[in-house]
Amino acid sequence: MTSMNIATGSTPRRFSRILGVGSYRPGRVVDNEEICRLIDSDPEWIEARSGIFTRHFADAGETIPAMGARAAEKALSAAGTHPADLSCVVLATMSYLHQAPPAAAACAAELGTHGAAAFDLGAACAGFSHGLAVANSLVTSGQAEHVLVVGSERMSDIVDPRDRSTAFIFGDGAGAAVVGPADEPGIGPTVWGTDTEGLHAIEQSRSFTELRDDPLARWPFLEMAGATVFRWAIGAVAEVCAQAAEAAGVPLRDIAAFVPHQANVRIIDAAVKTMGLSPSVAVARTVREDGNVSGASVPLALDTLTAGGRIRPGDLVLTAGFGSGLGYSAQVLLAP
Ligand code: UT7
């Protein structure tokens, strides 16, 4: 079976699906040796504990709207659509340091959309998956025709290069997907939520107002209780993904590809094992080259597997985002 079996009742329904994906990686590749110049660590420890070998860091011109626009241009082209076709741009990010204009509006301007609604979505590493849920609702309700969902991050702006618990994990980049109308379900029901018991496990414990009031105060870098998040993710990711597959009416044996948020290879491998996914399933492990790109990691991984031919048109793809909050969302997608 290669389709979703979602109960629709007797009312005729409009469906949505991803029509095209694209991604953008900054030019500068940073290896573990370079990271270890500023922290007490070694490349072998980083590789063994996280699976990460390299990540990309953006330069000054590689802004969040600009990287998002480059990824979006590829997604629009893959979808056979144009900026003028977009009714809405949703940009998921946790690292945009400007409040106005919204990153989504700046991205829309760079793309040359014709009056598309544009807003930012703040759900950290679950942002893109939350964005797909929003896009699916907008298209299936008739509120929008084509929605661009972008994840774009400059984690290097909010991560302390001298903090050994976070410096090696995060990277920069962007990914995008065009969501449009479809004849059959292409985005399964989203299983999502927030486990607020872990509210402070990934946080900026200091605020920008503190910095305004005291110029000598520390920059409000991202802090993470890594082991706490790791333990939570090991249990939560497989559970939420299995629920998403069930909600879509898709047995796990019919999944062709697994594209979870790229935080740590050990978390991905544990989820594969717990769900008992077949060795024939294409599993995204782009965290090895990209690090953890937060809200951009799922579309970056989706595009990488699609471009490499490991995800083929019509494949059922199980995907999930998870991170600060602790928030999560998972859904089954029909590959474009
Ligand atoms: O994207 C949002 C979701 N985020 C995640 O899912 C991240 C989840 N967490 C993780 O991926 C892992 O917790 C890390 C990769 C961040 C860390 O791996 P870990 O196996 O959980 O390490 P740990 O924090 O439990 O530390 C183990 C040991 C400690 O030493 P002792 O107490 O055992 O002597 C740390 O001090 O490793 C030490 N350590 C380091 N050693 C070398 C911590 N950081 C480093 C380091 N280099 N950078």
Side-chain angles (χ1 to χ4, degrees):
M1 195 178 83
T2 54
S3 60
M4 295 187 225
N5 185 20
I6 302 163
T8 54
S10 53
T11 328
R13 266 195 64 181
R14 212 166 116 109
F15 299 109
S16 85
R17 65 175 292 174
I18 291 181
L19 302 173
V21 290
S23 61
Y24 177 85
R25 289 178 175 81
R28 189 160 108 73
V29 180
V30 178
D31 62 18
N32 289 337
E33 280 79 11
E34 183 173 344
I35 294 290
C36 289
R37 280 183 214 144
L38 293 181
I39 56 171
D40 174 18
S41 185
D42 63 82
E44 291 71 32
W45 187 95
I46 295 172
E47 286 154 25
R49 292 294 177 120
S50 67
I52 299 168
F53 290 82
T54 56
R55 71 288 290 147
H56 299 250
F57 281 178
D59 67 24
E62 290 169 315
T63 63
I64 282 172
M67 291 195 294
R70 298 295 84 77
E73 282 159 359
K74 292 181 195 160
L76 285 160
S77 162
T81 51
H82 303 280
D85 299 327
L86 296 172
S87 347
C88 184
V89 176
V90 181
L91 192 148
T93 187
M94 69 177 295
S95 50
Y96 198 52
L97 301 177
H98 299 266
Q99 288 301 297
C107 181
E110 186 136 354
L111 284 171
T113 58
H114 290 184
F119 61 92
D120 296 352
L121 192 157
C125 303
F128 180 80
S129 304
H130 277 38
L132 285 183
V134 172
N136 180 45
S137 298
L138 292 174
V139 173
T140 56
S141 67
Q143 176 76 49
E145 201 63 16
H146 290 94
V147 179
L148 177 69
V149 184
V150 180
S152 188
E153 302 282 11
R154 287 175 56 102
M155 298 303 287
S156 57
D157 285 341
I158 62 167
V159 168
D160 183 352
R162 290 187 163 73
D163 180 350
R164 77 203 286 253
S165 60
T166 53
F168 64 94
I169 297 169
F170 295 98
D172 303 341
V178 176
V179 176
D183 298 332
E184 60 171 323
I187 299 179
T190 298
V191 172
W192 61 355
T194 313
D195 191 344
T196 54
E197 268 187 34
L199 187 65
H200 299 292
I202 308 174
E203 69 170 349
Q204 285 178 299
S205 63
R206 291 164 180 273
S207 71
F208 285 104
T209 43
E210 216 176 303
L211 195 61
R212 178 200 60 197
D213 297 341
D214 175 8
L216 296 179
R218 271 191 83 222
W219 181 255
F221 284 120
L222 193 69
E223 295 160 32
M224 182 168 75
T228 305
V229 181
F230 186 88
R231 277 194 299 276
W232 169 79
I234 287 283
V237 177
E239 190 183 325
V240 172
C241 285
Q243 286 172 11
E246 194 181 342
V250 172
L252 286 172
R253 65 174 175 278
D254 289 342
I255 294 295
F258 178 47
V259 185
H261 169 49
Q262 302 289 299
N264 187 320
V265 162
R266 290 157 59 212
I267 294 173
I268 298 166
D269 290 345
V272 168
K273 194 171 167 202
T274 306
M275 287 189 284
L277 295 183
S278 144
S280 65
V281 172
V283 178
R285 293 188 180 84
T286 49
V287 65
R288 293 198 282 229
E289 293 84 34
D290 295 335
N292 176 341
V293 199
S294 188
S297 79
V298 168
L300 261 163
L302 261 181
D303 187 42
T304 304
L305 265 62
T306 304
R310 294 180 64 207
I311 293 179
R312 285 156 307 179
D315 277 352
L316 290 171
V317 181
L318 181 56
T319 173
F322 56 92
S324 182
L326 294 166
Y328 56 86
S329 50
Q331 59 261 114
V332 175
L333 309 171
L334 202 57

